[in-house]
Amino acid sequence: MIRIVIAEDQALLLEAMGNLLNLEEDIEVVGQAGNGEDALTLVRKLQPDVCMMDIEMPEKSGLEAAEELQHFDCKVIILTTFSRPGYYQRAMKADVRGYLLKDNPSEELASSIRSIMAGKRIYSNELMDEELREKHDSSIHEKSNQHNKTGSVKSYLASIMDKIKLPTG
């Protein structure tokens, strides 16, 4: 059973996420907090496997709480609605295992939790800082080119179009 503490300052969303995750057979929400400070207290007291937090909360943000949780045996997942400059890098420094968008379907959230428990790290591409996203995308492109000598359909068609050099207009 995967034991989770959820921290979210919007009560309706906190309750909804808790109820949805409790429907999963292998997930149990053991605590809920309305701010980062209360989340830290619950993690110390309940020792969950995962602490899933909103990034912006009163008293202590999810990132500030994640930084304090680095030395605990608890995987941190940050949920947010939108990207802010510098947040991705802070999340990486705090050893956050998941940095995800709130608007993902609940099945994806449960699946991400299971993957993170299995040792994976999951970061929504949309939340990466722009320069890191470009670096990440180019390194993925380079790796895929190395592993796929025939290339993708898209790159194949692009090379044909370059060779044809059709006149414009």
Side-chain angles (χ1 to χ4, degrees), residues 105-125:
S106 60
E107 309 84 53
E108 275 186 40
L109 180 58
S111 176
S112 294
I113 291 168
R114 291 181 189 100
S115 295
I116 287 165
M117 285 302 298
K120 294 183 180 176
R121 293 175 182 264
I122 302 175
Y123 308 113
S124 293
N125 193 39

Side-chain angles (χ1 to χ4, degrees), residues 5 36 39-44 48 50-53 60 62-78 94-96:
V5 164
L40 289 172
T41 300
L42 287 175
V43 168
R44 289 182 191 112
V50 174
C51 182
M52 188 170 61
M53 297 184 278
K60 192 170 293 247
L63 285 173
E64 291 168 333
E67 290 164 352
E68 291 190 36
L69 290 175
Q70 286 184 67
H71 306 292
F72 284 79
D73 189 24
C74 177
K75 294 167 177 53
V76 174
I77 298 172
I78 296 286
D95 196 30
V96 168

